[in-house]
Structures are given as structure tokens and as C-alpha cells.
């Protein structure tokens, strides 16, 4: 990560390091921060959080899950899926040093009144950045709890004023073979760009965010710098990274894992312990970093909608969740 270049974050959004450290201590001591305090290594003295720039944040609407420990920064940034940098879990951290996430712009187009190019700095100045600590569940049956910093996706889409006929939003990841080793040479794991999509009501749901940081710091390249999707009630592959395009449409957009293996990975990808993947159960999950490092983590039962059923079940009322997996 020696090639990591600090981003051009507006000064108004940068917390001076000493204030940030004070805030972390504060958080760890608060009752509301009990989950943080309980996380071994989460805020441990001397931990290297120096690679991202500190961000000024406000509290999001949903408290951190009370039943889980927050995954350490080390595990969150060294165990990733980001095939543009390789298919191994440590490849994204090892191979993403050449990637240049700043400056960054992305398009919002399709069924909108005001198609536009948005600069990430605009987002960072226009909207408050919220702390959103979410349970995250990968389709491969491992999980983490990640203290994201983000902006509701709805606020971003509304900049372009979606028309009444828009029913879905399609997303695209950047294509940069010169900076993304997984996108060049032989034996590439999937077609580029990586694409994803959401129904517009899912995209507009208050839990859905575009994350620009984690642990109060800007995202590292392996986590999807400078901006990636986070939908906490869906399997991790919906969380498309390093987004360059959001297109409003009236047709269900393609998504990369479904294009590769449609019988294994659907469009909805809602976390559901009752619908097994064809090759393994989804009833439980391995908690990354719990007492056994990457491999020996504790197994816990998986919750319907990843524990967010109270907030999102109504989006799928009357739908057959086995057929719409
Ligand atoms: N562009 C892109 N986005 C991606 C992926 C990818 O390979 N490329 N992998 C997905 C998968 S399978 C998962 S589980 C999550 C992992 O996010 P994390 O590394 O931040 O935990 O990113 C998703 N987003
Ligand atoms: Mo995944």
C-alpha cells in the first residue's frame, strides 16, 4: 500500500488526527459504544489506521448491532473480495497499490431529469457523512461487522431527479487494466466491468448507503475506494466497489455473479438462512476474526435479511423468496 495517495478531501470534512483519536476514546467509553469497546483490537492502541484520511461523521439512524463485535480494521482490510485485484482474499490488499481513486467522478444517467457527472468531492461537501455499523454477510457464508461511513444512496440519486418510469438502478465498476492486475492478461475470472443493480425502492431504502469510508477513515483501495455500495440485508456481492456509473432504468439490470452462474446467484440476493446455495447451506456463517483468525472463526446462525427484517421485510411482501433468490 506504499503507493496509496492521500485523496483531495475538502478541508471541512477532515478531522484533525488528535481530535479523531479523542473521539475514538470517547466512543469506546460510551455506553452506546460498548460494541466498539468489546471488540478486541478494534480501537487498540497502536493499530495502524493511518492509511485512510480521517473523516468528520455524524451518527446514522441505526445503532451498531448489539449482539456482535465490530470486526478489526486489520481483518476488514486484509480479507476482501475484489476480483479486479485477484481472486484470493488477500489479493485486493496486496495488489491494489497502483490504483488511483482520486480525483474521481461518476455518472448518473438514464431515466433522470438531470443526467450529470458528479465529483466525489461534491458528495463529501454536500452531504453529512454518517456512521453506519452494519452486519455484512458474504454468500460464501462468512461475515463481518463493519463500521462504514457513508451517504444514503437516495440522496445521491435524487441529485439527478429520477423520472416516474425509473424502476431500477444499474451500477458499474471502473475498468482500468493498467491499475487493476485482475483485469489484464489471461485467465480473467469474469467479464468487466463488474455490474450490479437494485430495484429503485431497495436503492431508496434508508439502510442503503454509498460508503466512502470505514472506521472513520476514507476507504482503502481494497475496500472499494473511493465509493462503493452497501446494502446490509443482501449478500456481499451486491456491494459493488469503485463505482463510476449509476443508470436509472425500467428493466431489471444484469449483475455480474448472476451472469456467471444464474442458478447459484440471483438478482435479489437477500440474506436468507432458509434458501441454501446449491453447493452449501446458508443457515450459518463463520465470523471473520473471532478467535481463530481467518480460518477458525466462530459459527453463528444466519438471520433472515441478515437481521434487518424489521426494516426491509415489507419490501418483499407477497414475493416468493425461494423463486426470487
Ligand atoms: N467491483 C467489484 N465489486 C465487488 C466485488 C468484486 O469482485 N468486484 N466482490 C463482491 C463480493 S463477492 C463481496 S463479498 C464484497 C466484499 O466486500 P469487502 O471486501 O469490502 O468485504 O464486495 C463485492 N463487490
Ligand atoms: Mo461475496
Amino acid at each position: 500500500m506504499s503507493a496509496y495517495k492521500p485523496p483531495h478531501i475538502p478541508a471541512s470534512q477532515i478531522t484533525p488526527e488528535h481530535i479523531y483519536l479523542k473521539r475514538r476514546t470517547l466512543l469506546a467509553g460510551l455506553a452506546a459504544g460498548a460494541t466498539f469497546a468489546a471488540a478486541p483490537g478494534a480501537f487498540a492502541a497502536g493499530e495502524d489506521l493511518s492509511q485512510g484520511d480521517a473523516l468528520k461523521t455524524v451518527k446514522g439512524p441505526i445503532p451498531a448491532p448489539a449482539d456482535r463485535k465490530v470486526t478489526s480494521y486489520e481483518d476488514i482490510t486484509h480479507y476482501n473480495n475484489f476480483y479486479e485485484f485477484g481472486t484470493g482474499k488477500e489479493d485486493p490488499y496486496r495488489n491494489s497499490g497502483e490504483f488511483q481513486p482520486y480525483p474521481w467522478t461518476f455518472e448518473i444517467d438514464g431515466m433522470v431529469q438531470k443526467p450529470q457527472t458528479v465529483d466525489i468531492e461534491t458528495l463529501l461537501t454536500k452531504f453529512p457523512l454518517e456512521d453506519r455499523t452494519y452486519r455484512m454477510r458474504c454468500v460464501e457464508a462468512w461475515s463481518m461487522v463493519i463500521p462504514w461511513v457513508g451517504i444514503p444512496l437516495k440522496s445521491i440519486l435524487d441529485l439527478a431527479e429520477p423520472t416516474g418510469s425509473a424502476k431500477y438502478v444499474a451500477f458499474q465498476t471502473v475498468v482500468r487494466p493498467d491499475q487493476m492486475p485482475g483485469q489484464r492478461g489471461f485467465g480473467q475470472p469474469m467479464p468487466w466491468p463488474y455490474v450490479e443493480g437494485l430495484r429503485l425502492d431497495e436503492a431508496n431504502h434508508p439502510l442503503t448507503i454509498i460508503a466512502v469510508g470505514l472506521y472513520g477513515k476514507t476507504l482503502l483501495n481494497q475496500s472499494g475506494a473511493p465509493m462503493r455500495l452497501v446494502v446490509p440485508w443482501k449478500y456481499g456481492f451486491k456491494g459493488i466497489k469503485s463505482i463510476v456509473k449509476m443508470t436509472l432504468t425500467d428493466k431489471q439490470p444484469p449483475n455480474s455473479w448472476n451472469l456467471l452462474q444464474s442458478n447459484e446467484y440471483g438478482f435479489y440476493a437477500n440474506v436468507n438462512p432458509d434458501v441454501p446455495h446449491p453447493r452449501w447451506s446458508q443457515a450459518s456463517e463463520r465470523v471473520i476474526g473471532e478467535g481463530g483468525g481467518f480460518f477458525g472463526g466462530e459459527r453463528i446462525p444466519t438471520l433472515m435479511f441478515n437481521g434487518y427484517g424489521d426494516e426491509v421485510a415489507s419490501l418483499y411482501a407477497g414475493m416468493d423468496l425461494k423463486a426470487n433468490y
Side-chain angles (χ1 to χ4, degrees), residues 203-248:
N204 285 337
H205 190 280
L207 283 182
T208 305
I209 58 168
I210 292 296
V212 297
L214 59 84
Y215 269 106
K217 298 269 190 174
T218 51
L219 292 178
L220 301 188
N221 291 343
Q222 61 265 46
S223 296
M227 50 182 281
R228 54 88 55 85
L229 182 64
V230 174
V231 192
W233 71 93
K234 292 181 181 284
Y235 291 118
F237 68 82
K238 298 298 287 183
I240 181 172
K241 295 175 169 181
S242 307
I243 297 167
V244 286
K245 202 191 234 306
M246 305 182 183
T247 305
L248 282 291

Side-chain angles (χ1 to χ4, degrees), residues 81 89 137-142 194 235-238 257 265:
N81 273 342
K89 295 289 182 271
R137 171 63 156 78
C138 175
V139 76
E140 295 168 85
W142 48 265
Y194 192 98
Y235 291 118
F237 68 82
K238 298 298 287 183
W257 281 96
Y265 310 99

